[in-house]
Each structure stands twice: as structure tokens, then as C-alpha cells.
Amino acid sequence: MATCALVGASEFNAPRFLEMHAEGAFDYVIAVDGGLAHLEEAGVRADLAIGDFDSLGYVPRGLRVARFPVDKDKSDMELALDRALSQRYGEAYVFGALGGRLDHTLANLQLLASFSERGLYVTAVGLDQAVAFVTGPDVFELPAAEEGTVSVFAMNDACTGVFERGLRWSLDDFTMTNRTSRGLSNELQGEAVVIGVEEGTLAVFLPA
């Protein structure tokens, strides 16, 4: 499966990005507006820079650029996700989308859930947490770890057939809604973890 990395302007987990980049995890790297500054500081060249470049403050030169007007109906991150999907990438790791302004973080979480529902396997990577999106019918698997916290939330009015295995508290054929705190702060306990959903989209928060 071809994998794309998107780098936005918010908090950037440079060590994790560079580790994955060195391992050859990314087939294509998109700088999302001000995210280009993160990549330049990390010494990584973007394959494409996209956005209106109001955050970056200038239009980049010397690389491929997709420039959009400031007055538009989609955020730069949504435009970048559109591009990843149109270029038939099956998986996307999104850096610089969490932290900073809460409204931007919420908008990005909603966006990533919607792209998961369009068939893109999406994981947002923050400084201390990552968020994987699982759209049913599907499962998410996590290798065994002795400690850490995992939270699972519904991104729809109702996610049905939710189950969790390998965590301290398990679920079986549960209907989870987006109007509850149930799913918050489950615990890893040295076992492999499997989280699944029959219908709907889950956001799985885990250690980065």
C-alpha cells in the first residue's frame, strides 16, 4: 500500500517523522502551508507544498507547489488530503495536525474521520499521542506493550459492534456514541490489543 506523509503547521513530532522517513515509510511527502518550515528545519525535502501559504508567509520556490486562494471553502489540510486520495495513496500519516489551536485540532480530527470513511487509512501523529481512525467493518491492532493509555471515541452519532480486546477493560458488541466519555483512558497491560467496529468510525488515541 502506497503511503503519504502530510506535514501541517501545528506541533511537529520531528523525531518520530525522521525515524519513519529513514525507514522508508513514506512514498510521498506533502508540506501543508506552514508545515514546510518544519520539514526545512528537519532537513527533509517535500515532494509537494500545498496551501494558500498565509501561515508560511511566502510562496515556496524550487519545488512543486499547488497554490490556492486565501478565500476558500476548504482548509489547506483538507486540500492536501484530497490530493493524497486523488493520487491513490492508501495510507496517510498526518503530522502537525494536533495541538496548538483547539479549533484547528477539532477540524482536523473531523477531516481525518471523513477521509477514513472514504477509504484512506489515516493516522495523526502528535507530540505525545497518535490518533488512528478505524471505519467499520474493520479492526485496529496494537502490539503488546506493558504500559500506556488508549482511548476510543465514536466519531459518529452511533458506532455499532464495537469491541476491545487486550486492554484492562474490554468491550463486546457495544454501541458507542459521540455523546459520552466512555472509552476514555483504558490501559495497556502487556497484551496485544485488537479494537474493532462493525459500523461507524472510531478515533483510537494511543501513545505516539
Side-chain angles (χ1 to χ4, degrees):
M1 183 184 299
T3 301
C4 180
L6 286 71
V7 179
S10 193
E11 296 174 353
F12 182 48
N13 189 335
R16 182 63 178 139
F17 177 88
L18 290 171
E19 177 185 19
M20 295 181 71
H21 187 267
E23 293 170 352
F26 310 131
D27 299 295
Y28 198 74
V29 177
I30 300 176
V32 185
D33 199 325
L36 181 62
H38 289 318
L39 289 172
E40 289 178 338
E41 186 175 352
V44 174
R45 180 179 174 82
D47 296 294
L48 171 70
I50 192 169
D52 55 29
F53 303 110
D54 61 343
S55 297
L56 188 63
Y58 62 91
V59 179
R61 294 181 180 274
L63 73 160
R64 188 178 178 193
V65 171
R67 186 182 183 185
F68 292 83
V70 173
D71 294 331
K72 57 188 184 300
D73 294 328
K74 293 183 177 182
S75 69
D76 293 333
M77 184 61 73
E78 185 168 1
L79 293 168
L81 287 162
D82 279 338
R83 182 62 64 96
L85 199 61
S86 71
Q87 293 184 192
R88 300 189 181 278
Y89 288 97
E91 186 170 17
Y93 285 88
V94 183
F95 292 78
L98 307 177
R101 282 178 52 178
L102 184 58
D103 53 346
H104 282 190
T105 297
L106 180 56
N108 286 330
L109 291 173
Q110 292 182 156
L111 272 179
L112 299 180
S114 74
F115 278 85
S116 174
E117 290 163 357
R118 293 169 62 183
L120 188 64
Y121 287 96
V122 190
T123 303
V125 182
L127 295 182
D128 302 310
Q129 281 188 315
V131 189
F133 293 83
V134 187
T135 296
D138 204 355
V139 298
F140 174 80
E141 299 182 28
L142 188 64
E146 292 301 322
E147 59 182 10
T149 298
V150 174
S151 295
V152 180
F153 299 116
M155 298 300 291
N156 312 94
D157 290 341
C159 291
T160 59
V162 176
F163 67 87
E164 299 179 11
R165 299 283 185 274
L167 295 166
R168 180 177 177 184
W169 297 284
S170 62
L171 287 176
D172 185 39
D173 197 21
F174 182 69
T175 297
M176 182 174 286
T177 78
N178 57 8
R179 291 295 183 270
T180 179
S181 62
R182 186 163 183 181
L184 177 67
S185 296
N186 213 331
E187 297 176 7
L188 297 168
Q189 54 178 7
E191 299 178 19
V193 173
V194 180
I195 297 167
V197 57
E198 183 63 29
E199 185 173 356
T201 298
L202 299 175
V204 181
F205 290 75
L206 56 146

